[in-house]
Amino acid sequence: MTATISPSEDDLKSALLAIKTENPSLGVPKIHALLLAAHPEWTVSEKRTRKILQNEGLVQNANANAGSGAVPGQVFPSSRVIEGLDVAKWTTKVEVRYFGKAKGKGLVATEKIAEGETIWKEDPFILAPEWNLYDLQMSSAACGHCSTPLTTSPLAVPCSASTSSTPCPVRFCNRLCLSRSGRTHPLLCASRNPASAPLLHLARRNEWMALHALAQCTARVLLTFEQDQKAFAEDWEVVRAWAQLGMEERAKGGWYVSLGAEPDRALWKKAHKLYVQAFQEPATEPEKRRLAKLLKKPLPKEVSEMLFDYDAFLRGLGRMSLNLEAHGGLYVLHSHLNHSCTPNVSARHFDQRTALSRITLVARRDIAPGEELLITYVNPELPVEQRRRGLMEWGFGKCMCERCVQEERERKDAGGDVSKDEGANADLEAELKAGLGVM
């Protein structure tokens, strides 16, 4: 009979962190079972396992929601660690950590980072630029790939598929951007896939950035599947791991209520119809023939369902809204960053003349090893109630960070009614956007 021992705190923590990293979605009982299976000589109670995981922020405490502003029964965004993600492609200064169901994943520093230091630079997985830049793209005045405004440079090149009978207005900085645009542009090109035009027009007309981003993301997934199976597997893993909260789940949360708005389900359904017509089943025979020239391989059933089923479409819209950077890019490593009303990191667009869509992550203050890197999801200059209202979009309930709690207390001590004074400032634009779920 094998003698059992009680492992040291350090040994137990190391073993549990390894198991949780490999199985981020499993709860305490299953993690505990895997621990005992891997170390049959250990005697460890489930209570001890839970305590260590809670101390490391890797499991939600039973009382975790008490101070978070979450409502009972609230559905949190779901996410998972990207299997095989090579963070060193961007930086050696951070690593991915899974914090638990309510918070999901995040980034922590692996070394001391000084105030003002560049932590990493990153180009977008896809780009759905702000509408003023999109309009420049559609008028041949900005690069259709990186969105950098175009000059009279002789290096600029037009879309290769554009003809006088089926024109595409998009131009590119140079042949490199033209080549890279092959990941998405063919399926969004007015010449090569005219079935996509109604979908893009709907997104533009309603300034629906999440819908535009979903179109860009779907184009990349479908074209990569056609071109490179290994690259597709990597891209598909990234897409599946992004944080997501479906539109219906968001509708059940406090965000719509806080704005006095109702979700526009009729518009959601119209958007889904145009989305399917753009990428799966065009409305006319000529459009079907054009799409068939681009997409020749049948999709696996799992991929097709995750893209084109109505509920999956709503989850896709939610996924875009949760992960988009403020200017419309979707970035693999940046998407791991969590929110703080007192952030220690900023995302900046420094390369405005050569690569406008590239972001540079800069430390706002000194960051210690093991400290989480945090950005702000809302304008940090806003008063507490306006920040909280904006943050409800992310599905984490009322923000109860140290700054929000302190400012709320100060307002109450001064005799002000925070929710009444600032809640009246929600404007019509916010209400309309809430109906789409596009904020």
Side-chain angles (χ1 to χ4, degrees), residues 4-7 36 39-45 48:
T4 58
I5 61 172
S6 178
L36 297 183
H39 300 278
E41 74 282 8
W42 285 1
T43 174
V44 180
S45 68
R48 189 180 175 196

Side-chain angles (χ1 to χ4, degrees), residues 8 31 77 130 171 191 199 209 226 243 257 273 285 289 292 299 340 353 375 377 401 418 430:
S8 69
I31 293 292
E130 294 172 292
R171 296 170 69 229
S191 177
L199 177 68
M209 190 175 285
E226 290 287 320
V257 175
K273 179 181 178 180
E285 288 302 320
R289 288 193 293 270
L299 282 176
S340 172
R353 291 189 177 182
I375 58 173
Y377 293 175
C401 74
V418 180

Side-chain angles (χ1 to χ4, degrees), residues 144-410:
H145 175 67
C146 72
S147 76
T148 303
L150 295 174
T151 63
T152 56
S153 168
L155 296 177
V157 293
C159 169
S160 57
S162 181
T163 66
S164 57
S165 58
T166 56
C168 174
V170 176
R171 296 170 69 229
F172 302 92
C173 292
N174 47 49
R175 294 195 176 278
L176 179 60
C177 273
L178 173 62
S179 174
R180 289 174 175 172
S181 76
R183 298 172 184 168
T184 58
H185 179 67
L187 279 173
L188 304 171
C189 173
S191 177
R192 301 187 71 178
N193 184 29
S196 66
L199 177 68
L200 297 176
H201 290 160
L202 180 70
R204 177 64 187 95
R205 187 165 61 250
N206 291 280
E207 297 190 352
W208 197 348
M209 190 175 285
L211 181 61
H212 185 202
L214 185 59
Q216 294 279 349
C217 191
T218 302
R220 172 159 176 164
V221 167
L222 295 176
L223 289 171
T224 305
F225 181 79
E226 290 287 320
Q227 298 161 3
D228 187 331
Q229 287 298 301
K230 183 176 182 295
F232 166 76
E234 294 172 354
D235 282 2
W236 190 237
E237 177 65 20
V238 168
V239 172
R240 292 176 63 208
W242 273 323
Q244 67 175 25
L245 185 67
M247 302 293 283
E248 289 294 353
E249 286 76 21
R250 295 172 74 200
K252 294 173 185 176
W255 182 46
Y256 287 96
V257 175
S258 73
L259 294 174
E262 289 291 332
D264 193 340
R265 292 184 175 88
L267 190 55
W268 295 355
K269 291 180 179 179
K270 179 179 180 180
H272 176 250
K273 179 181 178 180
L274 295 180
Y275 174 78
V276 171
Q277 289 178 352
F279 301 118
Q280 188 182 44
E281 190 64 32
T284 69
E285 288 302 320
E287 289 175 343
K288 288 179 181 179
R289 288 193 293 270
R290 287 181 181 268
L291 183 61
K293 291 180 180 179
L294 296 171
L295 304 179
K296 300 175 182 179
K297 299 178 182 178
L299 282 176
K301 183 179 179 182
E302 174 206 0
V303 177
S304 180
E305 290 177 349
M306 189 171 168
L307 290 176
F308 296 115
D309 283 2
Y310 181 63
D311 288 342
F313 170 74
L314 295 184
R315 287 192 295 272
L317 287 173
R319 188 183 294 115
M320 298 299 104
S321 293
L322 286 178
N323 293 283
L324 278 171
E325 189 263 345
H327 296 285
L330 203 55
Y331 301 82
V332 176
L333 194 59
H334 170 274
S335 68
H336 289 72
L337 290 165
N338 289 312
H339 165 81
S340 172
C341 290
T342 51
N344 56 15
V345 173
S346 290
R348 309 290 295 276
H349 292 259
F350 286 141
D351 301 317
Q352 296 192 12
R353 291 189 177 182
T354 57
L356 183 59
S357 60
R358 180 177 299 147
I359 56 173
T360 301
L361 283 297
V362 180
R364 294 169 62 101
R365 59 168 174 78
D366 290 349
I367 302 172
E371 185 179 352
E372 185 179 5
L373 277 66
L374 299 162
I375 58 173
T376 180
Y377 293 175
V378 295
N379 181 353
E381 302 302 318
L382 292 173
V384 55
E385 197 60 28
Q386 290 185 35
R387 292 200 311 272
R388 282 175 166 172
R389 186 166 55 245
L391 287 168
M392 292 185 82
E393 176 190 357
W394 275 266
F396 296 113
K398 182 180 179 180
C399 183
M400 298 295 288
C401 74
E402 184 178 353
R403 179 187 171 191
C404 284
V405 171
Q406 180 181 346
E407 291 182 11
E408 181 179 37
R409 186 184 302 117
E410 290 172 352

Side-chain angles (χ1 to χ4, degrees), residues 4-59:
T4 58
I5 61 172
S6 178
S8 69
E9 201 76 0
D10 286 343
D11 287 345
L12 180 56
K13 183 169 77 171
S14 178
L16 286 172
L17 289 176
I19 294 172
K20 187 65 176 177
T21 300
E22 291 294 321
N23 305 275
S25 62
L26 295 186
V28 173
K30 291 184 178 179
I31 293 292
H32 183 248
L34 289 176
L35 174 75
L36 297 183
H39 300 278
E41 74 282 8
W42 285 1
T43 174
V44 180
S45 68
E46 186 176 312
K47 182 178 180 181
R48 189 180 175 196
T49 295
R50 181 182 297 277
K51 183 177 180 181
I52 288 179
L53 291 174
Q54 286 176 348
N55 288 342
E56 292 298 312
L58 296 175
V59 65

